[in-house]
């Protein structure tokens, strides 16, 4: 059984979907750590409810990204985490974490990348007037939502969709897609006979 860490900054509904899939066995992995950069958010409460250890930090308390990522690495080691799923973590990953986890770190983004990267992808899609948007799961690199795409799913945009409605539709797809893709990435053998 692989141990995974999830990083979140807010509500944590995708974190919850991963935990639920892990508990039901459809995702053969154990969530051994939640990393969260915003004290007080709902994701933390969700972790506590499921007895999942958390590392909650405030970036202001560290000199720089290297300093807090070094601390995160320590916590990942303690949690024996072999894989990271970013789920609404609102920070770019720096070289400290990437050097250890590149190819073993995925992110979910609420658009059909490369369209609408960065903040407020749902607002960007509505603004652009597209008839279809979606969800992308990709490996993390040093760019903003630029890493190699693993899987995408489309979501139709209806004329009357508000940001709230579209977000609900996207979340529903995310909660199905993300645990499945993590399961695939973790359990599909590579040429070397091991996961990514
Ligand atoms: C999701 O829409 C995800 O695609 C994006 O941030 C949002 C997080 O939502 N990266 P939640 O905290 O998982 O509810």
């Amino acid at each position: 059984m692989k141990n995974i860490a999830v990083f979140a900054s807010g509500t944590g509904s995708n974190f919850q979907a991963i935990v639920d899939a892990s508990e039901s066995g459809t995702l053969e992995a154990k969530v051994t750590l939640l990393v969260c950069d915003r004290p007080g958010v709902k994701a933390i409460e969700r972790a506590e409810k499921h007895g999942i250890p958390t590392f909650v930090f405030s970036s202001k308390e560290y000199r720089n990204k290297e300093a807090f990522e070094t601390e995160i690495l320590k916590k990942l080691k303690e949690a024996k985490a072999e894989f990271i799923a970013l789920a609404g973590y609102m920070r770019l990953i720096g070289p400290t974490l990437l050097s250890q986890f590149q190819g073993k770190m995925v992110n979910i983004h609420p658009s059909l990348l490369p369209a609408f990267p960065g903040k407020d992808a749902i607002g960007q899609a509505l603004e652009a007037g597209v008839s279809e948007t979606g969800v992308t799961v990709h490996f993390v690199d040093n760019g903003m939502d630029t890493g190699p795409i693993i899987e995408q799913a489309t979501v139709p945009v209806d004329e009357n969709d508000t940001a709230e409605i579209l977000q609900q539709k996207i979340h529903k797809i995310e909660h199905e897609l993300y645990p499945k893709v993590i399961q695939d990435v973790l359990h599909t053998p590579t040429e070397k006979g091991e996961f990514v």
Side-chain angles (χ1 to χ4, degrees):
M1 184 78 91
K2 297 260 156 43
N3 290 334
I4 66 175
V6 180
F7 288 28
S9 301
T11 313
S13 68
N14 281 284
F15 165 66
Q16 184 73 56
I18 293 167
V19 170
D20 290 346
S22 160
E23 289 183 354
S24 75
T26 54
L27 170 58
E28 296 163 279
K30 186 167 180 219
V31 182
T32 57
L33 183 66
L34 170 74
V35 172
C36 179
D37 64 337
R38 291 209 190 136
V41 297
K42 178 122 190 246
I44 301 162
E45 193 186 312
R46 294 180 193 268
E48 284 165 359
K49 225 179 201 167
H50 289 263
I52 295 168
T54 59
F55 173 53
V56 183
F57 70 98
S58 180
S59 63
K60 287 177 288 192
E61 285 162 22
Y62 293 84
R63 272 190 332 278
N64 52 28
K65 184 173 289 206
E66 186 187 347
F68 65 73
E69 287 199 344
T70 301
E71 192 66 25
I72 292 174
L73 271 182
K74 246 195 246 167
K75 304 289 177 186
L76 289 166
K77 208 169 173 193
E78 281 166 23
K80 297 189 165 53
E82 300 154 275
F83 188 86
I84 296 170
L86 306 183
Y89 182 66
M90 302 300 284
R91 287 177 187 280
L92 270 182
I93 299 298
T96 308
L97 273 173
L98 261 186
S99 62
Q100 303 296 312
F101 280 91
Q102 188 143 23
K104 298 178 182 181
M105 185 176 352
V106 293
N107 180 43
I108 187 158
H109 183 78
S111 77
L112 295 172
L113 289 171
F116 314 130
K119 281 195 182 144
D120 193 20
I122 292 170
Q124 291 184 54
L126 285 175
E127 183 73 18
V130 291
S131 59
E132 189 177 77
T133 184
V135 174
T136 302
V137 180
H138 63 93
F139 285 111
V140 175
D141 67 7
N142 58 6
M144 173 86 84
D145 305 317
T146 50
I149 290 172
I150 306 166
E151 207 155 316
Q152 296 185 302
T154 57
V155 174
V157 184
D158 298 319
E159 249 176 58
N160 302 325
D161 277 357
T162 58
E164 203 177 40
I165 290 174
L166 186 53
Q167 188 183 42
Q168 280 171 9
K169 294 200 293 194
I170 285 183
H171 264 137
K172 188 168 179 291
I173 300 297
E174 288 186 333
H175 300 162
E176 291 163 12
L177 186 74
Y178 207 14
K180 268 193 216 152
V181 174
I182 295 170
Q183 166 73 7
D184 285 352
V185 171
L186 288 178
H187 296 282
T188 306
T190 65
E191 281 162 22
K192 290 186 206 146
E194 56 194 22
F195 83 100
V196 285

